[in-house]
Amino acid sequence: MGMKWRNLASSSAPLALVVLAATGCTSTSDAGAKPTDPPSASKAPAKPVARVCAKPAAGPAKAPAGAVTVDPKVVGDLAEKTKSSPAGTTFWLRPGKHRLEPDRYAQVMTKKGNRYIGAPGAVLDGGKKNNYAFSGTARDVTIRHLTVQRFVAPPDEGVVNHDMADGWVIEHAKIQYNSGAGLMAGARQKVRASCLRDNGQYGMNAYKTGDSIRGLVVEGNEIVGNNTGDWERKRPGCGCTGGIKFWAVNGAEIRGNWVHDNRGAGLWADNNNNDFRIEGNLLEANDGAALMYETSYNAVIRNNTIRRNNWVEGRRSAERDDPFPYATVYVSESGGEPRIKARTDKIEIYRNVLENNWNGITLWENADRFCNSPANTSTGYCTLLVKDTKRCAKPAITKGPLYADCRWKTQRVDIHDNRFLLDPQVVKCKTECGRMAVLSNYGTYPKWSPYKGKRVSDAITHKQHNRWHDNTYRGPWSFVAENTDQKLDSGQWQDTPYRQDSGSTYAPRAGG
């Protein structure tokens, strides 16, 4: 699913309050509102906000009233008691290592409203034999205080909530050392205060058959070390990795998480996502981009600390003399669209601190990638403005409204009141790691494309209301506009015809 970079060729109130206090976010009701604070007043966290893998909250030492007790000494006890108990049952797993029957499909088939609660030291271990831990389409299942590990889900599938059921709550859990994704997602799913660690492909794959995920909450989690299988190397250009991957999610709260040391991207929203609020997170030391927002719409990205990301993938691109500004925050064919219902009608990136990353923010739009183009790697998908993909063809696509609506546009991106700090001695680079960019390629493909030549590069740079302003820069920053050959200093960036970063300040040294 998705595209790797350019592809030019082709409900717990107390917990919520704790997380908001830790991140400094005292309100979540003003998404899209104009901030009045200067950059120095950012509420971005300076320290890890969700250090939950090392010290998870302990579960109850005694079985809750009315709970069915599950014995780790009896192989398959959890699955069998789930089968024989009615919906809405609470299960308490005793301390120890619980195992399923040694069959790849011996998973727990959940029932509506079931609750699975682990005692201190309770572990559900797949033994590298079982594919899945918790499956079924039952809604409103809860998993708390339980470690789920060593399951072997196939690529793009998940271990917990394998069948993408709605309304699940996963809290104070450890989901670790699994193949595939540790966790799948359904509508109204809440993942809180959990450790998603060292899973083979994703910590969580927020994808659901039918693209019906709504109201997803990811809050106060530690998401670390995922993509141990290095899938981008196995399948070059697959776009199939990340700490978390989001696909066609409408409405998401991503707040107060510590996303670090993942192989590849930290957070990756790919394909027709909308209405995201990403705030108060610490994103650090991910091999690739901290955040990718691709072929998606309408988001608020604020009060995050983003540091030491993209050192591996950024340096790799520089070593092969690739002039493309591989970014730490990468906005690809994504923008604000007032016609699509959301809490904001733009992508607003503000009051973040970006420190010692490889490059800053790149706004990119592939001229050859649009609905019904062979260069659109999200095969079979169209924009949220055009339901019938086949409409995006000549002659209709050559004029309005389809000329505009068949494209995922990087437009209405407002980047302001951020701090961009770069010390090349820390990153161990020269000038290639300090770039900010807004650009496109020269349109060439397919033959019937109405977007050939400089049409898209001119539009993304000058006509689609993409704007930097009132930011603070420290260190040797440079700027790229229109195409990779157009390299600018701060004066050229602020001057005509670009007129970017009005009200911003610059100092050539990181400590200046």
Side-chain angles (χ1 to χ4, degrees):
M1 294 184 290
M3 175 184 83
K4 180 63 177 173
W5 297 106
R6 292 174 286 166
N7 199 348
L8 298 181
S10 32
S11 138
S12 163
L15 176 61
L17 291 174
V18 168
V19 172
L20 290 172
T23 61
C25 300
T26 55
S27 171
T28 60
S29 63
D30 60 336
K34 292 285 187 182
T36 57
D37 296 343
S40 59
S42 171
K43 299 173 184 177
K47 297 180 180 180
V49 291
R51 193 184 293 273
V52 296
C53 289
K55 296 183 179 180
K62 295 182 179 180
V68 173
T69 297
V70 182
D71 189 348
K73 296 180 181 179
V74 180
V75 173
D77 197 37
L78 179 61
E80 183 57 37
K81 286 180 175 174
T82 296
K83 183 178 179 181
S84 62
S85 300
T89 298
T90 296
F91 300 88
W92 179 69
L93 285 75
R94 289 183 181 275
K97 185 178 290 186
H98 297 254
R99 293 189 181 275
L100 304 174
E101 294 291 344
D103 179 270
R104 62 187 299 186
Y105 299 121
Q107 63 262 34
V108 178
M109 297 302 297
T110 58
K111 296 178 181 179
K112 183 179 179 180
N114 281 1
R115 294 175 293 278
Y116 298 89
I117 301 174
V123 177
L124 180 60
D125 193 303
K128 296 295 183 181
K129 296 178 181 179
N130 308 118
N131 282 11
Y132 318 116
F134 294 96
S135 297
T137 58
R139 297 186 173 193
D140 305 326
V141 171
T142 297
I143 298 171
R144 288 194 178 103
H145 301 292
L146 183 62
T147 295
V148 180
Q149 65 184 29
R150 302 204 314 142
F151 287 79
V152 285
D156 299 325
E157 297 186 38
V159 169
V160 175
N161 196 10
H162 169 259
D163 295 303
M164 304 159 281
D166 295 339
W168 283 39
V169 175
I170 296 93
E171 291 181 331
H172 305 293
K174 273 189 179 182
I175 303 175
Q176 60 186 13
Y177 315 140
N178 302 289
S179 300
L183 175 63
M184 299 298 287
R188 305 182 313 283
Q189 181 161 295
K190 296 177 176 61
V191 185
R192 292 180 168 137
S194 293
C195 170
L196 307 182
R197 175 168 66 180
D198 293 341
N199 295 289
Q201 188 178 10
Y202 306 106
M204 179 169 73
N205 184 8
Y207 163 81
K208 180 172 181 174
T209 305
D211 299 338
S212 59
I213 297 179
R214 306 287 185 273
L216 178 65
V217 175
V218 181
E219 181 179 37
N221 304 285
E222 184 173 354
I223 301 154
V224 53
N226 296 289
N227 187 27
T228 60
D230 198 6
W231 278 95
E232 293 290 347
R233 189 175 295 276
K234 293 179 180 179
R235 299 180 183 175
C238 71
C240 61
T241 59
I244 299 181
K245 186 73 175 287
F246 305 90
W247 183 272
V249 174
N250 190 358
E253 301 281 350
I254 317 298
R255 60 181 176 241
N257 302 284
W258 185 21
V259 184
H260 65 103
D261 294 284
N262 294 284
R263 176 174 284 175
L267 302 175
W268 190 344
D270 184 6
N271 188 61
N272 285 346
N273 297 281
N274 176 50
D275 196 13
F276 271 50
R277 186 157 49 191
I278 302 169
E279 63 181 342
N281 302 284
L282 174 58
L283 311 174
E284 65 177 337
N286 297 289
D287 284 2
L291 171 63
M292 297 176 65
Y293 206 71
E294 180 180 354
T295 55
S296 295
Y297 302 88
N298 301 327
V300 171
I301 302 165
R302 65 183 177 189
N303 294 330
N304 301 285
T305 295
I306 302 171
R307 63 192 182 200
R308 302 194 306 277
N309 295 281
N310 203 28
W311 286 16
V312 174
E313 294 190 5
R315 181 169 286 107
R316 187 181 297 154
S317 70
E319 289 173 350
R320 62 175 181 256
D321 296 323
D322 188 337
F324 189 79
Y326 283 81
T328 288
V329 175
Y330 185 56
V331 179
S332 176
E333 293 94 16
S334 296
E337 177 48 72
R339 290 174 290 174
I340 297 173
K341 185 178 179 180
R343 291 164 292 180
T344 182
D345 60 2
K346 56 186 175 180
I347 293 180
E348 190 169 15
I349 303 172
Y350 69 95
R351 288 200 309 236
N352 303 284
V353 176
L354 284 82
E355 181 177 5
N356 289 330
N357 301 286
W358 193 283
N359 290 326
I361 300 173
T362 289
L363 307 186
W364 164 257
E365 188 174 331
N366 184 345
D368 299 330
R369 188 183 194 191
F370 55 92
C371 178
N372 206 28
S373 167
N376 176 31
T377 53
S378 300
T379 306
Y381 279 88
C382 201
T383 69
L384 292 181
L385 299 172
V386 181
K387 293 184 179 180
D388 184 0
T389 301
K390 294 180 180 179
R391 292 181 63 204
C392 294
K394 292 185 70 173
I397 197 174
T398 61
K399 56 186 178 181
L402 292 180
Y403 180 85
D405 291 352
C406 288
R407 292 198 63 83
W408 289 272
K409 289 184 178 181
T410 301
Q411 65 178 7
R412 298 172 61 83
V413 182
D414 190 3
I415 302 166
H416 64 92
D417 293 281
N418 303 284
R419 293 178 59 84
F420 299 110
L421 312 174
L422 176 64
D423 185 346
Q425 298 301 314
V426 173
V427 184
K428 300 187 185 306
C429 63
K430 295 181 181 178
T431 60
E432 72 279 20
C433 66
R435 292 173 292 177
M436 209 73 60
V438 53
L439 76 165
S440 177
N441 56 313
Y442 191 89
T444 61
Y445 179 80
K447 289 183 178 180
W448 52 270
S449 170
Y451 312 110
K452 290 183 177 179
K454 298 181 179 179
R455 290 177 176 86
V456 176
S457 63
D458 181 61
I460 188 176
T461 306
H462 302 291
K463 300 176 182 177
Q464 292 179 183
H465 308 288
N466 297 313
R467 185 172 176 236
W468 279 257
H469 62 99
D470 299 297
N471 298 295
T472 298
Y473 293 88
R474 298 293 181 264
W477 289 94
S478 61
F479 304 87
V480 180
E482 297 188 59
N483 58 70
T484 55
D485 295 329
Q486 198 81 348
K487 300 175 183 178
L488 313 170
D489 61 27
S490 59
Q492 293 168 314
W493 178 244
Q494 289 184 303
D495 203 355
T496 55
Y498 306 108
R499 295 191 177 278
Q500 292 289 1
D501 265 316
S502 63
S504 297
T505 62
Y506 301 85
R509 296 183 182 276

